[in-house]
Coordinates of all heavy atoms in Angstrom, one line a residue:
V8 N -5.2 9.6 0.1 CA -6.4 9.7 -0.6 C -7.5 9.0 0.3 O -8.6 9.6 0.4 CB -6.3 8.9 -2.0 CG1 -7.7 8.8 -2.6 CG2 -5.4 9.7 -2.9
K9 N -7.2 8.0 0.9 CA -8.2 7.3 1.8 C -8.6 8.3 3.0 O -9.8 8.5 3.3 CB -7.7 6.0 2.4 CG -8.7 5.2 3.2 CD -8.1 3.9 3.7 CE -9.0 3.1 4.4 NZ -8.5 1.8 4.8
A10 N -7.6 9.0 3.5 CA -7.9 9.9 4.6 C -8.7 11.1 4.1 O -9.7 11.5 4.8 CB -6.5 10.5 5.2
L11 N -8.4 11.6 3.0 CA -9.2 12.7 2.4 C -10.6 12.2 2.1 O -11.6 12.9 2.3 CB -8.6 13.2 1.1 CG -9.2 14.3 0.3 CD1 -9.4 15.6 1.3 CD2 -8.5 14.7 -0.9
H12 N -10.8 11.0 1.6 CA -12.1 10.4 1.4 C -12.9 10.3 2.7 O -14.1 10.7 2.7 CB -12.0 9.0 0.8 CG -13.2 8.4 0.4 ND1 -14.0 8.8 -0.7 CD2 -13.9 7.3 0.9 CE1 -15.1 8.0 -0.8 NE2 -15.0 7.1 0.2
I13 N -12.3 9.8 3.7 CA -13.0 9.7 5.0 C -13.4 11.0 5.5 O -14.5 11.2 6.0 CB -12.2 8.9 6.0 CG1 -12.0 7.4 5.5 CG2 -12.8 8.9 7.4 CD1 -11.0 6.6 6.3
I14 N -12.5 12.0 5.5 CA -12.8 13.4 6.0 C -14.0 13.9 5.2 O -14.9 14.5 5.8 CB -11.6 14.3 5.9 CG1 -10.5 13.8 6.9 CG2 -11.9 15.7 6.1 CD1 -9.1 14.4 6.6
S15 N -13.9 13.8 3.9 CA -15.0 14.3 3.1 C -16.3 13.6 3.3 O -17.4 14.2 3.3 CB -14.7 14.2 1.6 OG -13.5 14.9 1.3
V16 N -16.3 12.3 3.6 CA -17.5 11.6 3.9 C -18.2 12.1 5.2 O -19.3 12.4 5.3 CB -17.2 10.1 4.0 CG1 -18.4 9.3 4.6 CG2 -17.0 9.5 2.6
I17 N -17.3 12.3 6.2 CA -17.8 12.8 7.5 C -18.4 14.2 7.3 O -19.5 14.4 7.8 CB -16.6 12.8 8.5 CG1 -16.2 11.4 8.9 CG2 -17.0 13.6 9.8 CD1 -14.9 11.3 9.6
T18 N -17.7 15.0 6.6 CA -18.2 16.4 6.3 C -19.6 16.4 5.6 O -20.5 17.1 5.9 CB -17.2 17.2 5.6 OG1 -15.9 17.2 6.3 CG2 -17.6 18.7 5.4
W19 N -19.6 15.5 4.5 CA -20.8 15.4 3.7 C -22.0 14.9 4.6 O -23.1 15.5 4.5 CB -20.6 14.6 2.5 CG -21.7 14.4 1.5 CD1 -22.6 15.4 1.2 CD2 -22.0 13.3 0.7 NE1 -23.4 14.9 0.3 CE2 -23.1 13.7 -0.1 CE3 -21.4 12.1 0.5 CZ2 -23.6 12.8 -1.1 CZ3 -21.9 11.2 -0.4 CH2 -23.0 11.6 -1.2
M20 N -21.7 13.9 5.4 CA -22.8 13.3 6.2 C -23.3 14.3 7.2 O -24.5 14.4 7.5 CB -22.3 12.0 6.9 CG -22.1 10.8 6.0 SD -23.5 10.3 5.0 CE -24.7 10.1 6.2
A21 N -22.4 15.1 7.8 CA -22.8 16.1 8.7 C -23.8 17.1 8.1 O -24.8 17.4 8.7 CB -21.6 16.9 9.3
G22 N -23.5 17.5 6.9 CA -24.5 18.3 6.1 C -25.8 17.6 5.8 O -26.9 18.2 5.9
L23 N -25.7 16.3 5.4 CA -26.9 15.6 5.1 C -27.8 15.4 6.3 O -29.0 15.3 6.2 CB -26.6 14.2 4.5 CG -25.9 14.3 3.1 CD1 -25.4 12.9 2.7 CD2 -26.9 14.8 2.1
F24 N -27.2 15.4 7.5 CA -27.9 15.3 8.8 C -28.5 16.7 9.2 O -29.6 16.8 9.7 CB -27.1 14.8 9.9 CG -26.6 13.4 9.8 CD1 -25.4 13.0 10.2 CD2 -27.5 12.4 9.3 CE1 -24.9 11.7 10.1 CE2 -27.0 11.1 9.2 CZ -25.8 10.7 9.6
Y25 N -27.7 17.7 8.9 CA -28.0 19.1 9.5 C -29.1 19.8 8.6 O -29.9 20.5 9.1 CB -26.8 19.9 9.7 CG -27.0 21.1 10.4 CD1 -27.7 21.2 11.6 CD2 -26.4 22.3 9.9 CE1 -27.9 22.4 12.3 CE2 -26.6 23.5 10.6 CZ -27.3 23.6 11.8 OH -27.5 24.7 12.4
L26 N -28.9 19.7 7.3 CA -29.8 20.5 6.4 C -31.3 20.1 6.6 O -32.1 21.1 6.8 CB -29.4 20.3 5.0 CG -30.1 21.3 4.0 CD1 -29.9 22.8 4.4 CD2 -29.6 21.1 2.6
P27 N -31.7 18.9 6.7 CA -33.1 18.6 7.0 C -33.6 19.1 8.3 O -34.7 19.6 8.5 CB -33.3 17.1 6.9 CG -32.0 16.6 6.2 CD -31.0 17.7 6.4
R28 N -32.6 19.1 9.3 CA -32.9 19.7 10.6 C -33.2 21.2 10.6 O -34.1 21.7 11.2 CB -31.8 19.3 11.6 CG -32.0 19.8 13.0 CD -33.3 19.4 13.7 NE -33.5 17.9 13.6 CZ -34.6 17.4 14.0 NH1 -35.5 18.1 14.7 NH2 -34.8 16.1 13.9
L29 N -32.4 21.9 9.7 CA -32.7 23.3 9.5 C -34.0 23.5 8.9 O -34.8 24.4 9.3 CB -31.6 23.9 8.6 CG -30.2 24.2 9.2 CD1 -29.2 24.7 8.2 CD2 -30.3 25.2 10.4
F30 N -34.4 22.6 8.0 CA -35.7 22.7 7.3 C -36.8 22.6 8.4 O -37.9 23.2 8.3 CB -35.9 21.7 6.3 CG -35.0 21.9 5.0 CD1 -34.8 20.8 4.2 CD2 -34.4 23.1 4.7 CE1 -33.9 20.9 3.1 CE2 -33.6 23.2 3.6 CZ -33.4 22.2 2.8
V31 N -36.6 21.6 9.3 CA -37.6 21.4 10.4 C -37.9 22.8 11.1 O -39.1 23.1 11.3 CB -37.2 20.4 11.4 CG1 -38.0 20.4 12.6 CG2 -37.1 19.0 10.8
Y32 N -36.9 23.5 11.4 CA -37.1 24.8 12.1 C -37.6 25.9 11.2 O -38.3 26.8 11.6 CB -35.8 25.2 12.8 CG -35.4 24.1 13.8 CD1 -34.1 23.6 13.8 CD2 -36.2 23.7 14.8 CE1 -33.7 22.6 14.7 CE2 -35.8 22.7 15.7 CZ -34.6 22.2 15.6 OH -34.2 21.2 16.6
H33 N -37.1 25.8 9.9 CA -37.4 26.9 9.0 C -38.9 26.8 8.7 O -39.6 27.9 8.5 CB -36.6 26.7 7.7 CG -36.7 27.8 6.8 ND1 -35.8 28.0 5.7 CD2 -37.5 28.9 6.7 CE1 -36.1 29.1 5.1 NE2 -37.1 29.7 5.6
V34 N -39.5 25.6 8.6 CA -41.0 25.5 8.4 C -41.8 26.4 9.3 O -42.8 27.0 8.9 CB -41.4 24.1 8.6 CG1 -43.0 24.0 8.7 CG2 -40.9 23.2 7.4
D35 N -41.4 26.5 10.6 CA -42.1 27.3 11.6 C -41.8 28.8 11.6 O -42.4 29.6 12.3 CB -41.8 26.8 13.0 CG -42.4 25.4 13.2 OD1 -43.4 25.0 12.5 OD2 -41.8 24.6 13.9
A36 N -40.8 29.2 10.8 CA -40.5 30.7 10.7 C -41.4 31.3 9.6 O -41.4 30.9 8.5 CB -39.0 30.8 10.3
P37 N -42.2 32.3 10.1 CA -43.0 33.0 9.1 C -42.3 33.6 7.9 O -41.1 34.1 8.1 CB -43.7 34.1 9.9 CG -43.6 33.6 11.4 CD -42.3 32.9 11.4
V38 N -42.8 33.5 6.8 CA -42.2 34.0 5.5 C -41.9 35.5 5.7 O -42.7 36.3 6.2 CB -43.1 33.8 4.3 CG1 -42.6 34.5 3.1 CG2 -43.3 32.3 4.1
G39 N -40.7 35.9 5.3 CA -40.3 37.3 5.3 C -39.7 37.8 6.6 O -39.2 39.0 6.7
T40 N -39.8 37.0 7.6 CA -39.2 37.4 8.9 C -37.7 37.3 8.9 O -37.1 36.6 8.1 CB -39.8 36.6 10.1 OG1 -39.4 35.2 9.8 CG2 -41.3 36.6 10.2
P41 N -37.0 38.1 9.8 CA -35.6 37.9 9.9 C -35.2 36.5 10.1 O -34.1 36.0 9.6 CB -35.2 38.8 11.0 CG -36.3 39.9 11.1 CD -37.5 39.1 10.6
Q42 N -35.9 35.8 10.9 CA -35.6 34.4 11.2 C -35.6 33.5 10.0 O -34.7 32.7 9.7 CB -36.6 33.8 12.3 CG -36.3 32.4 12.7 CD -37.3 31.9 13.7 OE1 -38.5 32.4 13.8 NE2 -36.9 30.9 14.4
S43 N -36.7 33.7 9.1 CA -36.7 32.9 7.9 C -35.6 33.3 7.0 O -35.0 32.4 6.3 CB -38.1 33.3 7.2 OG -38.1 32.6 5.9
E44 N -35.2 34.5 6.9 CA -34.1 35.0 6.0 C -32.8 34.4 6.5 O -31.9 34.0 5.8 CB -34.1 36.5 5.9 CG -35.3 37.1 5.3 CD -35.6 36.5 3.9 OE1 -34.7 36.4 3.1 OE2 -36.7 36.1 3.6
T45 N -32.6 34.3 7.9 CA -31.4 33.7 8.4 C -31.3 32.2 8.1 O -30.2 31.8 7.7 CB -31.4 33.9 10.0 OG1 -31.4 35.3 10.3 CG2 -30.2 33.2 10.6
F46 N -32.5 31.5 8.2 CA -32.4 30.1 7.8 C -32.1 30.0 6.3 O -31.3 29.0 6.0 CB -33.8 29.4 8.0 CG -34.0 29.1 9.5 CD1 -35.1 29.5 10.2 CD2 -33.1 28.2 10.1 CE1 -35.3 29.1 11.5 CE2 -33.3 27.8 11.4 CZ -34.4 28.3 12.1
K47 N -32.6 30.8 5.4 CA -32.2 30.8 4.0 C -30.7 30.9 3.8 O -30.2 30.1 3.0 CB -33.0 31.9 3.3 CG -34.4 31.6 3.1 CD -35.0 32.8 2.4 CE -36.5 32.8 2.3 NZ -37.1 33.9 1.6
L48 N -30.2 31.8 4.5 CA -28.7 32.0 4.4 C -27.9 30.8 4.9 O -27.0 30.4 4.2 CB -28.3 33.3 5.2 CG -26.8 33.7 5.2 CD1 -26.4 34.0 3.8 CD2 -26.6 34.9 6.1
M49 N -28.3 30.3 6.1 CA -27.6 29.2 6.6 C -27.7 27.9 5.7 O -26.8 27.2 5.5 CB -28.2 28.8 8.0 CG -28.0 29.8 9.1 SD -29.0 29.6 10.6 CE -28.3 28.0 11.2
E50 N -28.9 27.7 5.2 CA -29.1 26.6 4.3 C -28.3 26.7 3.0 O -27.7 25.7 2.6 CB -30.6 26.5 3.9 CG -31.5 26.1 5.1 CD -33.0 26.5 5.0 OE1 -33.4 27.1 4.0 OE2 -33.7 26.2 6.0
R51 N -28.3 27.9 2.4 CA -27.6 28.1 1.2 C -26.1 27.9 1.4 O -25.4 27.2 0.7 CB -27.8 29.5 0.6 CG -27.2 29.7 -0.7 CD -27.5 31.0 -1.4 NE -27.6 32.2 -0.5 CZ -26.5 32.9 -0.2 NH1 -25.4 32.6 -0.5 NH2 -26.6 33.9 0.6
K52 N -25.5 28.5 2.5 CA -24.1 28.3 2.8 C -23.7 26.9 3.1 O -22.7 26.4 2.7 CB -23.7 29.3 3.9 CG -23.6 30.7 3.4 CD -23.1 31.6 4.5 CE -22.9 33.1 3.9 NZ -22.2 33.9 4.8
L53 N -24.6 26.2 3.9 CA -24.3 24.8 4.2 C -24.2 24.0 2.9 O -23.2 23.2 2.7 CB -25.4 24.3 5.1 CG -25.2 22.8 5.5 CD1 -24.0 22.5 6.2 CD2 -26.5 22.3 6.3
L54 N -25.1 24.2 2.0 CA -25.2 23.4 0.8 C -24.0 23.8 -0.1 O -23.3 22.9 -0.6 CB -26.5 23.6 0.1 CG -26.7 22.7 -1.2 CD1 -26.9 21.2 -0.8 CD2 -28.0 23.2 -2.0
K55 N -23.8 25.1 -0.4 CA -22.9 25.5 -1.3 C -21.4 25.4 -0.9 O -20.6 25.0 -1.7 CB -23.2 27.0 -1.6 CG -22.3 27.6 -2.7 CD -22.7 29.0 -3.0 CE -21.8 29.6 -4.1 NZ -22.2 31.0 -4.4
Y56 N -21.1 25.6 0.4 CA -19.8 25.7 0.8 C -19.3 24.5 1.5 O -18.1 24.3 1.7 CB -19.5 26.9 1.7 CG -19.7 28.2 0.9 CD1 -20.7 29.1 1.3 CD2 -18.9 28.5 -0.2 CE1 -20.9 30.3 0.6 CE2 -19.2 29.7 -0.9 CZ -20.1 30.6 -0.5 OH -20.3 31.7 -1.2
I57 N -20.2 23.6 2.0 CA -19.8 22.5 2.7 C -20.3 21.2 2.0 O -19.4 20.3 1.7 CB -20.3 22.5 4.2 CG1 -19.7 23.7 4.9 CG2 -20.0 21.2 4.9 CD1 -20.2 23.9 6.3
M58 N -21.6 21.0 1.8 CA -22.1 19.8 1.3 C -21.6 19.5 -0.2 O -21.2 18.4 -0.5 CB -23.6 19.8 1.4 CG -24.1 19.7 2.8 SD -25.9 19.9 3.0 CE -26.4 18.4 2.2
N59 N -21.8 20.5 -1.1 CA -21.5 20.3 -2.4 C -20.0 20.0 -2.6 O -19.7 18.9 -3.3 CB -21.8 21.5 -3.3 CG -23.3 21.6 -3.6 OD1 -24.1 20.6 -3.3 ND2 -23.8 22.7 -4.0
P60 N -19.0 20.7 -2.1 CA -17.7 20.4 -2.2 C -17.3 19.0 -1.6 O -16.5 18.3 -2.2 CB -16.9 21.5 -1.5 CG -17.8 22.7 -1.5 CD -19.2 22.1 -1.4
S61 N -17.9 18.7 -0.5 CA -17.6 17.4 0.2 C -18.1 16.3 -0.7 O -17.4 15.3 -0.8 CB -18.3 17.4 1.6 OG -17.8 18.3 2.4
M62 N -19.3 16.4 -1.3 CA -19.8 15.3 -2.1 C -18.9 15.1 -3.4 O -18.6 14.0 -3.7 CB -21.2 15.6 -2.6 CG -21.8 14.5 -3.4 SD -23.5 14.7 -4.0 CE -23.2 16.0 -5.2
I63 N -18.4 16.3 -3.9 CA -17.5 16.2 -5.1 C -16.3 15.4 -4.7 O -15.8 14.6 -5.5 CB -17.3 17.6 -5.6 CG1 -18.5 18.1 -6.3 CG2 -16.1 17.5 -6.6 CD1 -18.5 19.6 -6.6
V64 N -15.7 15.8 -3.6 CA -14.4 15.1 -3.1 C -14.6 13.6 -2.8 O -13.8 12.8 -3.2 CB -13.8 15.8 -2.0 CG1 -12.6 15.1 -1.4 CG2 -13.4 17.3 -2.3
V65 N -15.8 13.3 -2.2 CA -16.2 11.9 -2.0 C -16.2 11.1 -3.3 O -15.6 10.1 -3.5 CB -17.5 11.7 -1.3 CG1 -18.0 10.3 -1.3 CG2 -17.4 12.2 0.2
W66 N -16.8 11.7 -4.3 CA -16.9 11.0 -5.6 C -15.6 11.0 -6.4 O -15.3 10.1 -7.1 CB -18.0 11.7 -6.5 CG -19.4 11.1 -6.2 CD1 -20.4 11.7 -5.4 CD2 -19.9 9.8 -6.6 NE1 -21.4 10.9 -5.4 CE2 -21.2 9.7 -6.0 CE3 -19.3 8.7 -7.3 CZ2 -21.9 8.5 -6.2 CZ3 -20.1 7.6 -7.4 CH2 -21.4 7.5 -6.9
A67 N -14.8 12.0 -6.1 CA -13.4 12.0 -6.8 C -12.4 11.1 -6.1 O -11.7 10.4 -6.8 CB -12.9 13.4 -6.7
T68 N -12.5 10.9 -4.8 CA -11.5 10.1 -4.1 C -12.0 8.6 -4.0 O -11.2 7.7 -3.9 CB -11.2 10.6 -2.7 OG1 -12.5 10.7 -2.0 CG2 -10.6 12.0 -2.8

Side-chain angles (χ1 to χ4, degrees):
V8 171
K9 186 176 184 180
L11 181 59
H12 183 72
I13 292 168
I14 291 164
S15 299
V16 167
I17 291 168
T18 306
W19 185 31
M20 290 304 303
L23 291 172
F24 293 141
Y25 189 47
L26 191 55
R28 181 55 50 185
L29 285 175
F30 294 159
V31 167
Y32 301 125
H33 194 164
V34 165
D35 294 329
V38 171
T40 63
Q42 184 182 22
S43 177
E44 296 306 310
T45 298
F46 279 123
K47 288 178 187 180
L48 181 65
M49 292 170 66
E50 292 157 0
R51 184 174 44 81
K52 285 186 174 188
L53 176 62
L54 186 69
K55 184 176 180 180
Y56 298 118
I57 296 173
M58 293 173 64
N59 287 344
S61 295
M62 182 181 71
I63 290 166
V64 174
V65 165
W66 276 105
T68 58

